[in-house]
Amino acid sequence: MYLPSFNLENKLAVITGAGRGIGRALAIGYAEAGADVVLLSRTEADLLEAADKVKALGRKAYPIVTDITDKASMNQAFEQIKDNNLSVDILINNAGMNIRSKAFDVTEEEWETIMNTNLKSAFFMSQLAGEMMKQQGSGGRIINISSVAGQTALRTGVVYAQTKAAMIQMTKVLAFEWGQHNIAVNSIGPWYFETPLTEKILSDEKYVADILAVTPLKRIGQLPELVGPAVFLGSDAASYITGQTLFVDGGMTIQGF
């Protein structure tokens, strides 16, 4: 048999920023692929709504209110996971944010907020999940949601770009270090998708025209087009892939912006 399985049945995925946007789409998409889901976010109402969507698909959902910028809160989330006797198979570090300040205008508070949300969270969540995967003995998958901003200079904020470039490099180093434990670490680099994070900027017709001018497919991405690659990287179909960044960008990174 040469066609590997894309099915995620009997897998448990932990997804940060799961209450809305990309994280919510990933949680629902993973449930559709057969996975049970631990949903992490700071906003309980969003979490419970997303968890209901997962349950409606016949999968188990474990919503846990978590501040992913705070190490103690992350620790508590994993204690709850252990208290439920769950084994973590997949971690998706999706939580992220941006403040679109020019470099001369960035404040220390802005720098710390973006760094903690995008990068600190991804590293310590990976550390916690990776340790569980190592102890379980069965390995696992870690998927970091980076950005084309991690490779190509954009007009979207220098600090955001720093975090996403660091995430891509972190992906490589963790893959190199944890491969011996059968833990595969990859990242996905999206271009523009319609989410609450991009809603305001995508309302600017001039800016959208500029985006489409450097996007060979000439359109904004739709969330299901991001879910597919994430399911692939979490499945057995990607069992020999690690340390890679898959750009889901309509071809943008072959040109620049």
Side-chain angles (χ1 to χ4, degrees):
M1 183 175 181
Y2 282 87
L3 181 64
S5 176
F6 293 82
N7 192 299
L8 298 179
E9 287 186 8
N10 301 316
K11 301 291 186 183
L12 179 79
V14 177
I15 302 175
T16 67
R20 58 180 184 159
I22 291 174
R24 182 177 183 272
L26 291 173
I28 295 170
Y30 260 58
E32 290 175 340
D36 297 326
V37 185
V38 175
L39 304 97
L40 306 184
S41 173
R42 282 181 281 201
T43 307
E44 185 176 24
D46 290 344
L47 269 185
L48 295 177
E49 182 181 346
D52 285 343
K53 297 289 186 182
V54 170
K55 292 175 183 176
L57 292 164
R59 309 311 309 174
K60 294 178 181 178
Y62 305 89
I64 303 175
V65 176
T66 307
D67 179 358
I68 48 78
T69 69
D70 180 69
K71 182 61 162 57
S73 186
M74 289 185 264
N75 290 344
Q76 290 171 4
F78 271 84
E79 287 303 316
Q80 290 190 51
I81 291 170
K82 292 174 183 176
D83 289 344
N84 280 284
N85 296 314
L86 301 175
S87 297
V88 175
D89 302 294
I90 302 159
L91 166 68
I92 303 181
N93 285 310
N94 162 74
M97 57 90 66
N98 192 9
I99 301 172
R100 301 177 190 276
S101 298
K102 298 295 185 181
F104 281 125
D105 301 325
V106 173
T107 66
E108 182 178 10
E109 181 181 5
E110 288 177 349
W111 192 92
E112 290 179 348
T113 298
I114 300 169
M115 282 286 175
N116 288 342
T117 303
N118 295 3
L119 192 57
K120 176 185 176 181
S121 67
F123 175 75
F124 285 108
M125 286 293 298
S126 296
Q127 187 183 67
L128 288 162
E131 183 62 33
M132 279 193 71
M133 293 171 182
K134 175 185 172 183
Q135 292 179 0
Q136 289 163 187
S138 55
R141 309 290 173 80
I142 296 173
I143 302 168
N144 298 314
I145 305 300
S146 181
S147 168
V148 298
Q151 174 165 297
T152 301
L154 306 178
R155 314 174 197 174
T156 55
V158 63
V159 184
Y160 178 83
Q162 289 177 66
T163 64
K164 296 305 183 177
M167 184 177 282
I168 289 171
Q169 188 64 16
M170 181 185 77
T171 295
K172 296 177 183 179
V173 176
L174 293 183
F176 185 70
E177 185 173 334
W178 293 350
Q180 62 182 313
H181 305 300
N182 195 31
I183 300 171
V185 187
N186 292 291
S187 70
I188 294 174
W191 184 215
Y192 276 99
F193 283 76
E194 294 180 357
T195 71
L197 185 65
T198 62
E199 183 178 7
K200 182 177 180 180
I201 201 165
L202 293 181
S203 66
D204 183 336
E205 293 183 4
K206 174 61 169 62
Y207 195 82
V208 171
D210 290 344
I211 291 169
L212 299 185
V214 295
T215 306
L217 291 184
K218 300 302 178 187
R219 60 182 176 82
I220 303 299
Q222 300 299 311
L223 287 176
E225 296 174 308
L226 197 57
V227 172
V231 169
F232 163 66
L233 288 175
S235 74
D236 289 344
S239 58
Y240 201 55
I241 300 174
T242 194
Q244 306 302 310
T245 296
L246 174 58
F247 289 102
V248 185
D249 63 0
M252 180 270 173
T253 49
I254 64 176
Q255 297 190 83
F257 179 50

